[in-house]
Amino acid sequence: MKYLVTILAIVGLMSCGTDNSSSPAEKPATKLEPSTPVQKATSDTVDVVIKVGDEMKFSENRIIVEQGDVVRLKLEHTGTMPKTSMGHNWVLLKNGVNVSDFGMAAASAKDNDYIPANMQQDVIAHTKIIGGGESDEIIFQAPEEGAYEYICSFPGHYGMMKGKLVVM
Ligand code: ZN
């Protein structure tokens, strides 16, 4: 019986020994914890899909994101009409930009994808003009808090095709 107790004691010591040796190994694991916020930062990519078709309408008239979010926006034309007659884009304007002024200037900027060359500084982000069956994806960082207007700058569309990107 004494032998057994001794053996148990040794086993106990050994297991203590392995516990001790495993605890330094745990330290790198705790060191990894600061990387958790980094993972959260990368998960702040927000996917937005806006559908358009053979009519002057965005599927979304309001998009809500948070300041600093990386917005991955996909514009999808589900119609069949070509971009020459029913082309659409998605143009996010800075605050204070007059939508009508921009829309009218854009109508004569066909060669620049309907983004007026002298008003590019008014644009936060924009897709290209797409026609039926096409899509375009852009990535941009959400600006500071506020409500920003977006439009389709294809001639005659901005009156109907508009919405707000709300940054909270
Ligand atoms: Zn349009």
Side-chain angles (χ1 to χ4, degrees):
M1 285 300 283
K2 272 180 187 174
Y3 283 117
L4 253 177
V5 169
T6 314
I7 288 163
L8 282 172
I10 289 164
V11 169
L13 276 171
M14 279 170 73
S15 64
C16 277
T18 51
D19 278 353
N20 286 341
S21 66
S22 72
S23 60
E26 279 168 18
K27 275 176 186 169
T30 54
K31 273 180 190 168
L32 285 175
E33 275 174 30
S35 72
T36 310
V38 176
Q39 287 170 344
K40 274 180 189 165
T42 55
S43 71
D44 280 342
T45 299
V46 181
D47 283 299
V48 178
V49 177
I50 299 179
K51 289 183 179 174
V52 288
D54 292 336
E55 52 182 354
M56 290 183 268
K57 190 172 179 281
F58 283 124
S59 63
E60 309 295 328
N61 292 322
R62 194 173 148 98
I63 302 164
I64 299 171
V65 296
E66 282 178 36
Q67 188 174 334
D69 277 355
V70 174
V71 182
R72 188 162 56 195
L73 184 138
K74 189 181 184 187
L75 184 70
E76 234 182 283
H77 195 315
T78 58
T80 55
M81 290 172 74
K83 65 180 175 184
T84 47
S85 56
M86 191 47 83
H88 299 298
N89 65 358
W90 185 89
V91 183
L92 182 64
L93 298 172
K94 285 186 184 167
N95 265 335
V97 176
N98 186 300
V99 175
S100 301
D101 287 351
F102 187 92
M104 278 190 281
S108 54
K110 190 183 180 199
D111 293 342
N112 201 37
D113 237 9
Y114 296 109
I115 303 295
N118 64 334
M119 294 176 96
Q120 261 170 346
Q121 73 278 3
D122 295 339
V123 176
I124 296 169
H126 72 91
T127 69
K128 61 182 184 182
I129 292 273
I130 56 169
E134 296 177 327
S135 67
D136 190 29
E137 190 177 276
I138 55 168
I139 294 172
F140 63 94
Q141 190 155 36
E144 61 184 27
E145 277 184 37
Y148 301 80
E149 291 192 272
Y150 60 81
I151 59 165
C152 168
S153 70
F154 191 85
H157 286 200
Y158 70 87
M160 302 264 299
M161 299 186 72
K162 58 187 172 186
K164 278 205 163 87
L165 176 86
V166 179
V167 183
M168 303 186 74

